[in-house]
Amino acid sequence: MPQNTVDAAVIGGGPAGLSAAIYLARYNREVLVFDTGHGRSTHHQVNHNYLGFPDGIATVDLRKLAEEQLARYPNAGIAHHRITDVRGDAERGFTLYAQGGSWRARTLLLATGVLDHFPHFPGWEAYVGRSMFWCITCDGYENRGRRILVVGHTDAAAGEAMQLHALTDRVQLLTNSRADGISPRFRRRLESAGIPVIHDRILGHEGDDGLLRAITTHGGLRLELDALFSIQGATPETVLAGKLGVRLADTGYVAVDTEQKTSVAGVYAAGDITALHSHQVTAAVHEGAQAASAANYFLYPPELKAD
């Protein structure tokens, strides 16, 4: 391996990637994290599910603390570059390419997350995590008893509306699509629960300081609300996995085993990119730690391995 090769390159600086990097640094490995400063953990939401924070912690603050923790290790670093291509294998080493240059690594850890499909209207980004959410597990409890607008045109959206109905009886569903894919079975359930289905699309909004007050539609409706739950799906960021020939599951997410190993030797994946469900900070931190431990073991010479 060339002199400038690190032991591990972590692509993604969210909870999964930072957790992996800290573990690798503590294994005394040279590790470099590539972070573009985007993703779910850069939104404004407060995480109330993470152990040890009774009042919750903003995900941006959790990232900051993790970066400060990683900075304690001289063998770890963060590069703010978007990796656009990856080539090579574990035997020859991997080469990562970005507009700012290229880097070499003996192992790779993919923590690139997903791209959420939020409703788009002017200034929509400012509402994500404050009054526009995607996860009932993360934010449902804080919105109990409030006026909730579920946005989505599938049975998954209908199911989320039914689940939220257990927290509040003031739920509406807006398809926000030309298509209406809600099945008759779920439509009957929504009707029985008193949840109206509005087949229309978002035109604009009313709100400020991250707090929505109303959504206006192309059909001329004004829907008052306290919180919007977007159930329009997400796309896993698997472009780099595809370039490496990593196997994907039928869901389109990266297939991994219990140690976060992918189908390609020396390549690991952690966080939201690995599963359709369980997109939680707790799961991402665990998977990052597991992937780092597996990568560390992979890097040992054969005489130090029991298998």
Side-chain angles (χ1 to χ4, degrees):
M1 292 287 181
Q3 285 285 323
N4 62 346
T5 299
V6 296
D7 293 312
V10 178
I11 305 176
L18 290 169
S19 172
I22 289 168
Y23 268 73
L24 285 160
R26 290 186 56 78
Y27 284 124
N28 205 33
R29 300 295 186 182
E30 295 285 338
V31 56
L32 185 58
V33 178
F34 292 91
D35 178 35
T36 60
H38 298 287
R40 282 176 168 170
S41 61
T42 64
H43 296 317
H44 303 287
Q45 72 264 30
V46 175
N47 190 299
H48 294 277
N49 300 333
Y50 202 76
L51 192 67
F53 295 94
D55 297 320
I57 180 169
T59 52
V60 292
D61 291 338
L62 189 65
R63 275 178 64 113
K64 183 179 179 181
L65 287 170
E67 290 170 358
E68 291 176 3
Q69 188 173 351
L70 185 63
R72 306 285 179 91
Y73 300 92
N75 50 320
I78 298 177
H80 297 287
H81 294 282
R82 180 181 297 278
I83 299 301
T84 57
D85 196 10
V86 182
R87 301 175 192 173
D89 53 45
E91 183 176 349
R92 297 172 297 164
F94 299 96
T95 303
L96 298 82
Y97 299 91
Q99 187 175 6
S102 62
W103 297 263
R104 299 270 292 169
R106 297 170 65 195
T107 60
L108 288 177
L109 199 151
L110 303 175
T112 44
V114 301
L115 177 64
D116 287 298
H117 304 309
F118 284 110
H120 286 189
F121 47 80
W124 66 270
E125 297 97 333
Y127 296 93
V128 176
R130 290 183 172 132
S131 60
M132 185 158 68
F133 310 104
W134 58 268
C135 173
I136 186 174
T137 304
C138 308
D139 302 295
Y141 184 82
E142 279 66 40
N143 286 286
R144 63 195 187 282
R146 306 180 79 203
R147 298 170 299 176
I148 293 178
L149 180 67
V150 175
V151 175
H153 69 284
T154 65
D155 281 354
E160 187 91 353
M162 291 295 299
Q163 294 162 33
L164 284 163
H165 189 256
L167 300 171
T168 177
D169 59 0
R170 297 191 289 174
V171 180
Q172 299 182 86
L173 189 151
L174 175 67
T175 59
N176 195 36
S177 174
R178 289 186 174 87
D180 182 353
I182 299 173
S183 67
R185 178 166 61 102
F186 270 93
R187 193 172 292 277
R188 287 193 297 270
R189 292 176 178 175
L190 292 168
E191 184 177 354
S192 296
I195 300 173
V197 177
I198 303 156
H199 185 35
D200 204 342
R201 290 180 295 127
I202 294 175
L203 175 64
H205 75 289
E206 297 173 19
D208 50 57
D209 295 328
L211 301 178
L212 287 166
R213 292 191 301 273
I215 288 292
T216 57
T217 73
H218 282 270
L221 298 177
R222 180 179 180 274
L223 306 174
E224 294 185 351
L225 73 157
D226 300 306
L228 185 155
F229 276 76
S230 173
I231 316 298
Q232 298 185 156
T235 300
E237 300 277 23
T238 58
V239 172
L240 296 178
K243 291 178 181 291
L244 291 163
V246 167
R247 185 176 71 84
L248 302 183
D250 293 340
T251 57
Y253 288 75
V254 173
V256 294
D257 66 7
T258 56
E259 295 183 285
Q260 307 305 129
K261 297 176 183 175
T262 71
S263 61
V264 175
V267 180
Y268 305 84
D272 293 350
I273 193 178
T274 67
L276 179 60
H277 302 294
S278 299
H279 290 184
Q280 298 291 304
V281 173
T282 49
V285 170
H286 162 72
E287 290 188 6
Q290 180 61 70
S293 297
N296 175 66
Y297 189 79
F298 178 84
L299 289 166
Y300 282 134
E303 60 268 22
L304 296 184
K305 297 180 180 180
D307 51 6

